[in-house]
Amino acid sequence: MSNGKFASSGIVVGHTRSSNREQRLQHMKGARVTMGFNVPRSGEGAVGDITIRTITNKGFRAFVKTNSGWIDLNSMVAPDIIEWRDMVLATNITHDSDGLTPQYTRDTNGFVHLRGLIDIAGGDLTIDITTLPPGYRPSKDVYVSGVHANGSGGNCIYKIDTDGVINSLGGANANKTSLHGVSFFAWQDTSRKGGGGGGHQPDPGSGGGALP
């Protein structure tokens, strides 16, 4: 590499220039947009450059040069991607392997969704299941209906309190208890609950429709 140019083969398909003002603001537009093969080497290019590479078994991938090196743009995660987190289950609660791992998430609108299948040991239908962390808790106690899928089946009630404790209030059978369809609005006031973002918002209650 010399003068910020690519040492490897590549076809220049365009370029941009930064104005003096943009340079003072450290807006790095770079000088080259190239196409080539394989992952770019660390010594190639200058900060702000973009390259589109053909990589065996992966097709086209885009990279941008930063002060820390080349960043694979294809690996970046969008902020609205749903991230499911595994529950830390309470004593006598286990994951039923016939269903999904018990997990929770919060969507971009502030609603918490649950999913998974659990077994409750000893047939104790009124028992704590897990405790959700701050940022995933309602502003008031929430009651949501659930389903026991084993045997003859039957309904149960989940209580989610303001401390994040999810409690099963009973039902027809303790095995294969489903968490699917449980959702509620999460309190977002960090000054009172320690959750992420925003001030007080009214709690519209609970409802079904957990994400798949």
Side-chain angles (χ1 to χ4, degrees):
M1 184 187 74
S2 61
N3 299 323
K5 296 182 179 180
F6 287 94
S8 63
S9 61
I11 304 171
V12 177
V13 296
H15 70 277
T16 58
R17 298 181 182 276
S18 300
S19 67
N20 291 334
R21 179 175 182 277
E22 288 175 327
Q23 291 175 1
R24 289 194 301 270
L25 294 174
Q26 296 184 340
H27 291 174
M28 305 301 294
K29 283 190 175 181
R32 293 172 66 99
V33 178
T34 65
M35 296 184 68
F37 299 90
N38 302 319
V39 176
R41 298 191 298 269
S42 59
E44 295 181 53
V47 173
D49 287 346
I50 295 173
T51 183
I52 308 299
R53 296 299 178 98
T54 300
I55 300 177
T56 303
N57 298 326
K58 293 185 178 181
F60 291 112
R61 298 188 75 86
F63 298 84
V64 61
K65 185 69 174 286
T66 72
N67 288 323
S68 301
W70 288 101
I71 300 295
D72 183 351
L73 297 180
N74 304 79
S75 66
M76 299 179 72
V77 178
D80 58 348
I81 294 295
I82 292 294
E83 178 185 0
W84 289 95
R85 301 185 179 191
D86 291 348
M87 291 182 183
V88 178
L89 297 174
T91 303
N92 294 329
I93 305 295
T94 57
H95 167 217
D96 189 302
S97 59
D98 285 344
L100 293 173
T101 298
Q103 294 178 316
Y104 61 94
T105 190
R106 189 180 67 208
D107 64 28
T108 55
N109 294 317
F111 283 86
V112 172
H113 306 274
L114 310 181
R115 71 180 183 183
L117 196 65
I118 60 174
D119 289 334
I120 303 175
D124 186 358
L125 300 182
T126 301
I127 191 172
D128 292 347
I129 295 172
T130 190
T131 300
L132 298 174
Y136 295 81
R137 301 172 178 177
S139 60
K140 298 179 181 179
D141 291 351
V142 171
Y143 295 83
V144 186
S145 62
V147 175
H148 294 304
N150 198 30
S152 60
N155 295 325
C156 64
I157 298 295
Y158 297 115
K159 175 186 176 183
I160 303 98
D161 67 25
T162 56
D163 291 324
V165 177
I166 300 178
N167 181 273
S168 171
L169 298 182
N173 199 305
N175 294 326
K176 298 188 182 302
T177 298
S178 175
L179 300 173
H180 284 277
V182 177
S183 64
F184 58 90
F185 188 76
W187 177 266
Q188 304 287 309
D189 189 341
T190 57
S191 66
R192 294 183 58 182
K193 289 292 178 181
H200 172 69
Q201 301 181 50
D203 189 340
S206 61
L211 301 183

